[in-house]
């Protein structure tokens, strides 16, 4: 049983790496801010997956960590979407290449 | 024989600290300094009060008038009490009073220690005594000066540093005083700093003194290297055992010390600052540049007499430079027209005498001449100041041409061609000046006769016939230039207001007030009787013969012993034979004949006022232009240096350093520009950078 | 065995969903597929004995956050695929290489790599026993309210702050002049 679970754990880590990479691809290759944002959520989820997998070896702290990550992700999603709304009101687009405000 | 004194002082001095030493010696010598710190504190306090006053009550002259001279008189009183106490005690060695530790580093301990012995007390008497008189005189002389309070502040500060120099019990403390008097000298030469020439004269004095000071410093390092201490008493006590007689080290130390002396005491080759130093107020010239500071070099050699006695080469150099300077400066003095310049060169010449004395080994004679010279040269300067004061006021007191108008038209109140016939208007000054003139010329029985005659005799007796001849020739020149000064200033017809200005002169030229001539009177008395302090045995005119010699014997005995141990004993070997009596006759005859001859030849004084004068020609011109030493220095040192510094400025500073600095600035700006380019403000760029950063962190982890 | 099969199916499904999600031009379909991915990962959490996490993953991510996304898309009327937001060849090259590097680094980090780090040994029995004793929520809740209380409180403050910030950011401006006056 443990061996099978061990294999599943390994698969979980691989899946985590692949999901994370897909997230990176989305962040770097898409220009739609909302899609990029969703990819970031995907990356967070991939990280959570690896944390859960590791918690089987190191104890419950991994899951605690996932809990906090989710809390922060919720906050981040709320603020991020609010920012997107504010920007959209100004530019009428959500194209990242049009966002050039991050310098004084 | 003399080693006994050293041995008595030696072990205690070497092993114990200064405070312990003081107790030990005090028990042995029966002399306890009275309020030693007060000697220094009073002038310093005066300087502080007057310095504050220069800002706070600039126009109120009452406080400086009281505080300035009172600080000196109080200090003089304490010194006098100590002097009397010391005469009553049988003091061998020195009494050291430790005030506090100054530098303690490893084995090195330098304290603020005051050394009381016969030599330093004599110097203190001169400094505070003559200083008090000059302070009183200054009250009159500087009466109308806007910088009155500042003047007294500087002057008090000078006396403080001079006393530090004299009383300092170690090389570094003496050096503090040495630099301090140099600073005050600079401040007072440039006292009227609005005048660019005067300010430059101050700078010249300061810079030339630095050359000498470098020598002093290196000598100090060598002393520390050789002895491991810098206090005078242990160094001098250990000198004979530590340093080889005539060795390279002791010769180096003493020659470097002497380099310091040539700077401070204006000897060849560093003599050119002293004539320019006459830019300062005349009482300053009297106090600093005649009576006290410039004699610091002689004092330094007297203080370290044992070291010099160990190096016959250095002694020879000192004596030769002294004699050469004496003759050289006297020759220039003959053709000067500025009354203060004559006296300045006379001072250089007389200092040359003192160095001749300490050079040949007659330390007592050198200090003796230092003392008498302080009296009569201060008197001469103050008298000259009175003359200048009178002429200046005669010109300045408006005659319808506005303030100073006549001075502008006629030129310089210092120029003797603008004096003449002042005997009628300033009878007291006239008398006092003649007394001083006869004293410096060496006419018996005035002070200068005894001191100078002793130097001349010793230079022959120690076996230096050439120096003996030079000294005699200088004595002749001294009498001539002083007689010329007197004749041009006081005799003949008055030229102050041009030809035929006698009536105007009679109205406007007056004797100086009592506050100015009273100090002259005191100094005149001292110039007469000062020499009686050391009447030689050969002339038993007074029961106190050779008093100074006995007084200073404990100080110089070790040095004399060293010299005698190596076969240097005074023995009359002058070219013109005769004993101790005959030599006196020779110098007296020369002095009297020269003074008489010069007065006879020069009066009535020739020549028109300064504005109408023609430039001298021939050899007289060479003398008038001071042998072109300044010009030589200008060509040989100043201009090449300037060229070098200019090159440094253009190439090194403007090119390399500015280039590096500007380049650094440009590089920073470029870097900032490059960094700014990263800062696109585009979210995409930041995303890529962020991902690369995360990748880097993960890459390091893996 | 059925569990292993399910686990591997969830794993494959999540990857597939992610690929589809990242390639959708229409954001609404991307959201839908992302929800699918979250459900699949929740299933994997379940198989990995993280029941509580699986539950809040569905509720929080699949429910709340994704609904928020959809809500924003609707609000801004962005739910149509009328512009091509894929980057050009240069952007693709840079993004692709960075992504491949990420995959390599992460794989190496997880699996061990050259320094023969021991393969992560997954033993879920201890966790499962604890869950049997304390219940699946208790396993997480107990440390959360004992050891990590302060962190929990701080997280609460963070959420409060983000709520205030969100309201401030998303508040409709009532005209330029009026805004400058406040």
């Amino acid at each position: 049983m443990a061996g099978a679970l061990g294999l599943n754990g390994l698969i979980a880590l691989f899946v985590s790496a692949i999901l994370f990479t897909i997230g990176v691809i989305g962040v770097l290759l898409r220009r739609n801010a909302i899609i990029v944002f969703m990819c970031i959520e995907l990356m967070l989820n991939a990280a959570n997956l690896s944390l859960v997998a590791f918690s089987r070896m190191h104890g419950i702290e991994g899951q605690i960590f996932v809990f906090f990550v989710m809390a922060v992700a919720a906050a981040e999603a709320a603020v991020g979407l609010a920012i997107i709304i504010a920007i959209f009101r100004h530019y009428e687009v959500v194209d990242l290449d049009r966002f050039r405000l991050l310098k004084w | 024989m003399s080693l006994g004194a050293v041995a008595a002082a030696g072990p205690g001095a070497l092993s114990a600290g200064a405070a312990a030493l003081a107790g030990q010696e005090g028990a042995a010598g029966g002399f306890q300094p009275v309020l030693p710190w007060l000697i220094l504190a009073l002038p310093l306090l005066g300087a502080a009060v007057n310095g504050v006053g220069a800002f706070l009550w600039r126009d109120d002259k009452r406080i400086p008038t009281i505080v300035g001279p009172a600080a000196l008189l109080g200090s003089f009183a304490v010194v006098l009490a100590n002097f009397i106490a010391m005469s009553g005690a049988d003091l061998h060695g020195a009494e050291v009073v430790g005030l506090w530790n100054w530098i303690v580093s490893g084995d090195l301990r330098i304290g603020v220690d005051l050394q009381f012995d016969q030599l330093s007390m004599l110097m203190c008497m001169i400094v505070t005594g003559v200083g008090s008189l000059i302070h009183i005189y200054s009250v009159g002389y500087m009466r109308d000066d806007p910088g009155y309070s500042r003047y007294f502040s500087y002057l008090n500060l000078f006396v403080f540093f001079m006393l530090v120099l004299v009383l300092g019990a170690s090389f570094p403390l003496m050096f503090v005083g040495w630099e301090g008097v140099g600073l005050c000298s600079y401040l007072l030469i440039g006292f009227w700093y609005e005048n660019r020439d005067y300010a430059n004269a101050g700078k010249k004095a300061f810079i030339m003194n630095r050359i000498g000071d470098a020598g002093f410093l290196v000598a100090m390092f060598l002393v520390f290297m050789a002895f491991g201490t810098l206090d005078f008493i242990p160094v001098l006590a250990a000198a004979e055992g530590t340093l080889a007689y005539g060795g390279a080290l002791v010769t180096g130390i003493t020659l470097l010390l002497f380099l310091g002396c040539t700077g401070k005491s204006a000897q060849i080759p560093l003599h050119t600052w002293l004539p320019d130093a006459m830019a300062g107020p005349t009482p300053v010239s009297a106090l600093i540049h005649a009576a006290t500071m410039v004699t610091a070099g002689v004092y330094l050699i007297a203080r370290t007499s044992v070291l010099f006695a160990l190096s016959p080469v250095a002694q020879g150099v000192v004596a030769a430079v002294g004699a050469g300077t004496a003759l050289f400066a006297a020759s220039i003095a003959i053709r000067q027209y500025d009354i203060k310049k004559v006296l300045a060169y006379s001072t250089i010449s007389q200092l040359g005498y003192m160095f001749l004395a300490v050079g040949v080994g007659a330390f007592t004679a050198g200090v003796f001449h230092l003392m008498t010279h302080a009296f009569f040269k201060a008197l001469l300067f103050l008298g000259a100041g009175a003359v200048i004061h009178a002429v200046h006021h005669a010109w300045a007191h408006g005659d319808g041409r506005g303030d100073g108008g006549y001075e502008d038209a006629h030129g310089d109140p210092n120029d003797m061609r603008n004096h003449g016939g002042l005997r009628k208007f300033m009878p007291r000054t006239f008398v006092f000046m003649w007394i001083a003139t006869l004293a410096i010329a060496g006419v018996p029985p005035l002070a200068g006769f005894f001191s100078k005659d002793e130097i001349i005799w010793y230079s022959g007796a120690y076996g230096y016939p050439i120096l003996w001849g030079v000294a005699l020739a200088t004595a002749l020149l001294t009498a001539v230039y002083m007689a010329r000064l007197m004749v041009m200033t006081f005799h003949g017809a008055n030229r102050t207001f041009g030809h035929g200005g006698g009536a105007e002169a009679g109205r406007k030229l007056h004797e100086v007030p009592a506050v100015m001539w009273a100090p002259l009177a005191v100094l005149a008395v001292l110039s007469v009787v000062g020499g009686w302090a050391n009447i030689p045995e050969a002339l038993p005119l007074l029961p106190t013969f050779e008093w100074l010699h006995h007084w200073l014997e404990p100080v110089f005995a070790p040095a004399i012993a060293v010299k005698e141990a190596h076969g240097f004993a005074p023995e009359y070997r002058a070219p013109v034979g005769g004993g101790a009596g005959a030599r006196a006759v020779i110098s007296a005859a020369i002095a009297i004949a020269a003074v008489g001859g010069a007065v006879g030849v020069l009066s009535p004084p020739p020549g028109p006022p300064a504005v109408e004068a023609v430039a001298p020609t021939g050899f007289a011109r060479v003398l008038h232009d001071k042998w072109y030493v300044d010009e030589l220095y200008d060509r040989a040192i100043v201009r090449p240096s300037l060229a070098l510094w200019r090159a440094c400025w253009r190439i090194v500073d403007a090119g390399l350093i500015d280039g590096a600095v500007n380049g650094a600035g440009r590089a920073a700006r470029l870097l900032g520009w490059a960094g700014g380019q990263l800062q696109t403000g585009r979210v995409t760029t930041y995303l890529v950078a962020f991902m690369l950063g995360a990748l880097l962190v993960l890459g390091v982890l893996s | 065995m059925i569990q292993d099969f399910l686990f591997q199916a969830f794993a494959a499904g999540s990857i597939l969903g992610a690929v589809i999600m990242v390639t959708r031009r229409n954001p609404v379909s991307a959201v839908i597929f992302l929800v699918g991915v979250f459900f699949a990962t929740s299933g994997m959490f379940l198989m990995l004995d993280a029941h509580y996490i699986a539950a809040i993953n569905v509720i929080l991510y699949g429910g709340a956050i994704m609904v928020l996304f959809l809500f924003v898309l609707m609000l801004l009327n962005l739910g149509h695929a009328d512009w091509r937001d894929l980057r050009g060849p240069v952007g693709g090259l840079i993004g692709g290489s960075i992504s491949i590097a990420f995959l390599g680094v992460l794989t190496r980090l997880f699996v061990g790599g050259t320094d023969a780090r021991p393969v992560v040994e997954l033993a879920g029995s201890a966790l499962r026993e604890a869950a049997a004793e304390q219940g699946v929520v208790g396993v997480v809740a107990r440390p959360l309210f004992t050891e990590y209380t302060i962190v929990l409180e701080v997280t609460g403050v963070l959420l409060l702050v983000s709520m205030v910030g969100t309201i401030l950011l998303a508040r409709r401006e009532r005209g330029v002049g009026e805004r400058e006056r406040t």
Side-chain angles (χ1 to χ4, degrees):
Chain A
M1 200 62 186
L5 280 173
L7 179 65
N8 283 353
L10 208 57
I11 289 170
L13 290 181
F14 267 119
V15 170
S16 159
I18 290 164
L19 288 182
F20 191 88
T21 306
I22 293 170
V24 171
I25 290 171
V27 165
L28 291 180
L29 295 190
R30 300 294 296 260
R31 290 185 298 177
N32 189 329
I34 295 194
I35 303 267
V36 168
F37 207 10
M38 285 193 281
C39 291
I40 290 171
E41 300 296 335
L42 180 65
M43 285 158 73
L44 281 166
N45 209 252
N48 285 349
L49 184 57
S50 70
L51 281 168
V52 168
F54 278 123
S55 83
R56 287 168 63 78
M57 179 180 159
H58 295 288
I60 199 69
E61 279 77 15
Q63 295 188 23
I64 304 286
F65 217 98
V66 169
F67 179 84
F68 288 124
V69 169
M70 280 185 186
V72 173
E76 175 230 350
V79 175
L81 286 171
I83 289 173
I84 287 174
I85 288 173
I87 290 173
F88 183 81
R89 281 211 191 108
H90 194 77
Y91 287 105
E92 299 283 328
V93 288
V94 286
D95 184 353
L96 276 187
D97 284 0
R98 300 283 298 275
F99 295 177
R100 300 168 173 244
L101 281 172
L102 288 177
K103 85 177 175 186
W104 57 277
Chain B
M1 64 129 205
S2 64
L3 286 178
V6 178
L14 278 171
S15 59
L21 181 73
Q24 218 174 337
E25 291 291 328
F31 166 71
Q32 275 297 338
V34 188
L35 294 173
W37 54 274
L38 201 59
I39 300 173
L40 292 173
L42 282 172
L44 186 61
L45 190 69
V49 170
N50 287 325
V52 170
F55 293 100
L56 294 187
W57 49 87
R58 184 184 281 266
D59 297 324
D60 187 352
K61 301 198 164 153
R62 285 170 302 180
I63 293 169
T65 303
I66 295 165
V67 171
L72 257 282
L73 285 169
S75 186
F76 176 67
V78 180
V79 170
L80 190 65
N82 276 302
F83 188 79
I84 291 166
M86 192 182 278
S87 343
D90 181 27
L91 178 66
H92 288 277
E95 191 71 26
V96 174
V97 180
L99 293 182
W100 64 82
N101 279 342
W102 177 28
I103 299 169
V104 180
S105 169
D107 295 338
L108 175 67
R109 180 206 164 271
I110 298 166
V112 178
D113 301 337
L114 306 183
Q115 180 167 355
F116 286 82
D117 63 4
Q118 288 84 354
L119 179 60
S120 65
M121 283 323 292
L122 186 72
M123 288 294 291
C124 281
M125 288 287 286
I126 297 168
V127 170
T128 54
V130 177
S132 299
L133 294 172
I134 290 172
H135 272 69
I136 293 168
Y137 176 92
S138 298
V139 170
Y141 190 84
M142 300 299 287
R143 195 180 55 211
D144 299 328
D145 198 280
Y148 190 76
S149 196
R150 184 166 59 97
Y151 171 84
F152 274 105
S153 175
Y154 290 166
L155 214 55
N156 278 341
L157 189 66
F158 165 78
V159 173
F160 166 72
F161 277 123
M162 191 67 206
L163 290 169
V164 170
L165 192 162
V166 168
L167 288 171
S170 61
F171 283 98
L173 193 58
M174 187 181 191
F175 191 69
V176 169
W178 187 274
E179 291 297 316
V181 292
L183 168 71
C184 293
S185 164
Y186 161 77
L187 289 173
L188 284 163
I189 293 168
F191 183 74
W192 291 307
Y193 52 84
E194 295 93 344
N195 184 322
R196 197 180 173 80
D197 287 344
Y198 292 1
N200 282 342
K203 278 190 258 177
K204 182 176 180 181
F206 203 70
I207 291 166
M208 296 205 79
N209 266 298
R210 293 288 80 65
I211 300 171
D213 293 345
F216 193 148
L217 270 177
V218 177
M220 205 147 63
F221 301 153
L222 288 176
V223 165
F224 183 68
M225 188 187 82
F227 294 94
T229 177
L230 286 166
D231 291 340
F232 285 127
I233 293 173
V235 164
L236 297 182
E240 211 182 351
T242 309
L243 300 168
Y245 179 81
L249 184 58
V250 71
T251 304
I253 291 172
T254 46
L255 283 179
L256 285 165
L257 283 177
F258 181 59
L259 179 63
C261 298
T262 57
K264 192 59 72 187
S265 299
Q267 297 297 291
I268 292 173
L270 299 179
H271 65 281
T272 57
W273 67 270
L274 186 55
D276 289 10
M278 296 300 128
T282 308
V284 169
S285 307
L287 179 60
I288 300 183
H289 304 120
T292 53
M293 183 190 83
V294 289
T295 62
V298 181
Y299 175 74
L300 173 61
I301 294 183
R303 178 53 78 208
T304 58
S305 53
V306 177
L307 297 180
F308 278 88
L310 281 169
S311 174
V313 175
Q315 285 230 297
V317 170
V318 172
V321 169
T325 307
L327 184 63
F328 175 79
S331 74
I332 296 173
I334 285 191
R335 297 303 300 187
Q336 295 301 307
Y337 289 107
D338 185 322
I339 186 168
K340 288 182 73 180
K341 288 267 164 77
V342 174
L343 293 176
Y345 280 104
S346 165
T347 303
I348 297 174
S349 173
Q350 299 301 312
L351 288 167
Y353 267 120
M354 296 174 210
F355 279 105
L356 171 62
V358 292
V360 298
F363 298 105
T364 307
V367 174
F368 183 30
H369 196 57
L370 188 163
M371 180 182 87
T372 59
H373 175 259
F375 298 150
F376 56 66
K377 186 53 65 65
L379 175 51
L380 282 170
F381 264 113
L382 295 185
V387 168
I388 294 164
H389 189 76
V391 173
H392 175 80
H393 276 263
W395 279 347
H397 286 178
D399 51 355
R401 302 191 210 201
D403 276 345
Y406 210 88
E407 189 166 345
D408 293 339
H410 275 239
D412 193 354
N414 291 11
D415 197 314
M416 291 191 290
R417 287 169 296 198
N418 295 329
H419 302 161
L422 293 179
R423 171 170 51 171
K424 277 183 297 201
F425 311 113
M426 311 175 69
R428 291 196 189 89
T429 309
F430 168 72
V431 172
F432 299 145
M433 285 285 274
W434 259 115
I435 291 172
T437 299
L438 294 179
I440 191 176
V443 173
L446 282 73
F449 166 73
F450 295 103
S451 59
K452 194 190 291 182
D453 180 55
E454 196 168 322
I455 293 172
I456 295 170
W457 183 75
Y458 269 112
S459 59
Y462 271 111
Y464 299 97
I466 296 171
L467 299 184
W468 178 84
V470 169
L472 269 185
T474 306
L476 178 76
L477 289 177
T478 306
V480 172
Y481 67 68
M482 283 316 300
R484 171 173 171 274
L485 182 148
M486 290 309 294
V487 168
M488 285 189 76
T489 306
F490 287 100
H491 292 254
N494 180 264
R495 301 178 294 275
T496 307
F497 290 90
H499 290 296
E504 205 177 358
R507 270 203 330 277
K508 290 178 177 163
L509 280 168
H510 302 292
E511 179 63 281
V512 290
V515 72
M516 287 173 72
W517 66 255
L520 295 187
V522 178
L523 284 169
V525 172
L526 287 171
S527 298
V528 175
V529 304
W532 302 349
N534 202 23
I535 290 176
E537 265 179 291
L539 301 170
L541 305 174
L542 281 174
T544 60
F545 68 89
E546 301 216 320
W547 169 83
L548 189 70
H549 192 79
H550 293 304
W551 172 256
L552 291 174
E553 197 179 359
V555 180
F556 294 132
I560 300 295
V562 168
K563 281 189 80 72
E564 278 174 357
H566 294 89
F568 282 93
E571 173 195 340
Y572 198 60
R573 287 182 288 193
V576 183
R583 48 118 177 184
V585 179
I586 293 173
S587 45
I590 285 178
I592 294 168
V595 172
V599 171
V601 170
L602 290 172
S603 49
V611 277
E612 301 161 30
V614 288
T617 53
F619 188 59
R621 192 191 158 105
V622 174
L623 293 181
H624 178 260
D625 292 342
K626 307 148 193 171
W627 294 92
Y628 301 105
V629 175
D630 274 324
E631 285 77 4
L632 178 72
Y633 286 173
D634 188 50
R635 297 263 156 76
I637 296 165
V638 178
R639 282 191 207 175
S641 306
L642 281 178
L644 182 62
W645 306 145
R646 198 165 288 128
C648 282
W649 163 48
R650 293 254 163 79
I651 296 164
V652 178
D653 192 53
L656 290 178
I657 294 174
D658 283 7
V661 171
N662 290 340
R666 261 184 230 117
R669 183 181 288 183
L670 195 70
L671 211 63
W673 179 82
Q677 292 313 105
L678 288 177
Q679 199 83 0
T680 57
R682 292 173 52 162
V683 178
T684 316
T685 324
Y686 299 150
L687 278 176
V688 172
F690 169 65
M691 290 301 171
L692 283 174
L695 195 60
L696 197 71
V697 172
L698 287 175
V700 170
L701 283 176
S702 72
Chain C
M1 288 306 116
I2 185 81
Q3 279 193 342
D4 287 353
F5 171 75
L6 271 178
F7 182 85
Q8 284 148 22
F10 281 138
S14 69
I15 292 170
L16 192 69
V19 170
I20 296 171
M21 165 252 169
V22 90
T23 49
R24 284 315 85 188
R25 194 184 289 182
N26 188 330
V28 177
S29 31
V31 170
I32 300 301
F33 279 99
L34 188 57
V35 172
V37 173
F38 286 152
F39 273 102
T41 47
S42 286
M44 290 171 80
F45 288 163
L46 214 55
M47 302 298 134
L48 292 168
D49 298 317
H51 305 96
Y52 175 68
I53 297 298
I56 62 168
N57 195 45
V58 169
I59 296 167
L60 203 78
Y61 263 119
I65 294 180
M66 285 298 110
V67 167
L68 201 58
F69 269 88
L70 266 181
F71 186 69
V72 169
L73 285 172
M74 299 306 169
L75 191 72
L76 303 184
N77 196 19
L78 292 168
H80 40 74
D82 55 349
W83 60 290
R84 203 176 145 72
D85 71 331
L86 216 58
R87 290 187 190 285
V90 178
L93 201 65
I94 295 173
S97 47
I98 289 177
S99 307
I100 290 165
F102 257 108
L103 189 61
V105 165
L106 286 172
T107 313
R108 198 180 122 140
L109 196 62
F110 288 155
V111 182
T114 53
D115 59 344
R117 192 172 298 165
V119 173
V120 180
E121 186 186 317
L122 297 170
S125 53
L127 264 181
R128 212 173 309 152
E129 280 159 25
E133 272 176 40
Q134 307 171 0
V136 288
V137 178
V139 172
V140 180
R142 200 173 293 274
L144 208 54
F145 286 95
T146 52
E147 285 174 69
Y148 300 100
T149 315
I150 293 175
V151 187
L152 187 72
E153 297 298 329
V154 172
T155 312
V157 174
L158 176 76
L159 285 169
L160 179 67
V161 169
S162 70
M163 193 174 77
V164 173
T166 307
I167 292 167
L168 265 178
L169 280 167
R171 196 178 52 145
R172 182 173 288 278
E173 294 163 20
R174 275 161 294 177
V176 178
E178 204 172 344
R179 184 165 169 255
E180 279 176 355
R181 237 181 288 130
T182 49

